[in-house]
Amino acid sequence: AQRVTQPEKLLSVFKGAPVELKCNYSYSGSPELFWYVQYSRQRLQLLLRHISRESIKGFTADLNKGETSFHLKKPFAQEEDSAMYYCALSATQGAQKLVFGQGTRLTINP
Amino acid sequence: SAVISQKPSRDICQRGTSLTIQCQVDSQVTMMFWYRQQPGQSLTLIATANQGSEATYESGFVIDKFPISRPNLTFSTLTVSNLSPEDSSIYLCSVLPTGTHSYEQYFGPGTRLTVT
């Protein structure tokens, strides 16, 4: 069975500090991994996915198959990064069935 | 991309009744999904609704409790039947736009259900 674990429910950092949101997964095959974000009063939206290997809003995430991790990182946090972040896994190509982690609420303090 | 609306945005229902949630998309999509987010919990997939076929339910969810309709490529409904307080959750609709390179699910704003 697929499982996604985000060990931190809450994470608080100061503006300008580095941010790392942890995500670990369990799946025996080759998953697709995603980070979704929900800003205050907005709907859930895709932030990035591992296949694209791109940086979105300064965030990057590297899939580490050895450690089964997909941590989200940003070198310098900004106040507008405050949001709820969900790590998600798809065992099927094309992101059909998503398994979500518990989410991490990130707060950036001024 | 896709823009999704859900109705109602919230409701308070009595135990034993049912609530039907509507999901409308501004474009034709093949795959639609229904998720539940219980208080303080993550999103859990209830079922996948494809037009022209029966919905596919995930483990722990059954059609009698969560009947789904998908009459066309832009619309779906989820009914939560025989409500109990444990059904108090946010219910979200999402879609996967049609296309061989589709990888991004677009989510609706959610329906907040409170059962008293």
Side-chain angles (χ1 to χ4, degrees):
Chain A
Q2 302 108 51
R3 187 179 179 90
V4 177
T5 303
Q6 293 178 250
E8 303 138 329
K9 273 196 164 183
L10 303 170
L11 183 61
S12 182
V13 303
F14 285 102
K15 177 181 173 182
V19 173
E20 182 178 46
L21 290 83
K22 292 185 173 11
C23 172
N24 289 90
Y25 67 90
S26 63
Y27 177 58
S28 56
S30 294
E32 289 194 43
L33 274 298
F34 305 84
W35 277 98
Y36 276 79
V37 61
Q38 187 166 26
Y39 300 102
S40 179
R41 302 186 191 284
Q42 295 187 27
R43 61 189 66 189
L44 196 62
Q45 58 187 283
L46 178 67
L47 179 61
L48 54 78
R49 60 179 190 139
H50 89 271
I51 285 180
S52 61
R53 302 185 63 85
E54 57 195 344
S55 173
I56 303 292
K57 299 185 179 182
F59 284 99
T60 59
D62 290 320
L63 178 61
N64 186 323
K65 291 186 177 181
E67 296 184 357
T68 59
S69 68
F70 188 55
H71 303 326
L72 183 68
K73 301 177 184 179
K74 184 169 182 176
F76 307 103
Q78 298 172 301
E79 289 185 65
E80 53 265 34
D81 296 329
S82 294
M84 192 75 179
Y85 291 80
Y86 294 95
C87 183
L89 175 155
S90 174
T92 61
Q93 268 196 336
Q96 293 175 17
K97 290 187 181 182
L98 291 177
V99 175
F100 284 87
Q102 296 285 82
T104 298
R105 182 168 297 283
L106 176 64
T107 301
I108 307 302
N109 300 306
Chain B
S1 66
V3 177
I4 303 163
S5 59
Q6 284 185 235
K7 288 182 183 180
S9 58
R10 58 178 63 223
D11 207 342
I12 301 173
C13 300
Q14 289 194 338
R15 184 195 300 254
T17 63
S18 298
L19 176 70
T20 295
I21 302 167
Q22 299 178 7
C23 177
Q24 180 75 52
V25 191
D26 67 341
S27 58
Q28 294 186 337
V29 295
T30 303
M31 303 192 77
M32 296 181 78
F33 308 89
W34 287 99
Y35 291 84
R36 179 178 72 182
Q37 187 173 26
Q38 294 176 301
Q41 303 295 317
S42 186
L43 289 82
T44 302
L45 181 63
I46 297 172
T48 302
N50 293 332
Q51 194 269 338
S53 62
E54 295 289 325
T56 303
Y57 290 83
E58 297 302 306
S59 175
F61 298 96
V62 295
I63 187 171
D64 289 347
K65 176 69 176 176
F66 298 99
I68 288 171
S69 78
R70 181 78 199 273
N72 56 53
L73 290 173
T74 63
F75 187 78
S76 177
T77 67
L78 169 73
T79 299
V80 189
S81 306
N82 189 23
L83 290 168
S84 68
E86 294 71 37
D87 294 320
S88 295
S89 298
I90 297 173
Y91 292 86
L92 295 113
C93 167
S94 77
V95 303
L96 192 62
T98 305
T100 55
H101 300 292
S102 295
Y103 59 84
E104 179 173 356
Q105 285 192 26
Y106 293 86
F107 284 82
T111 296
R112 184 181 294 273
L113 168 62
T114 302
V115 182
T116 59

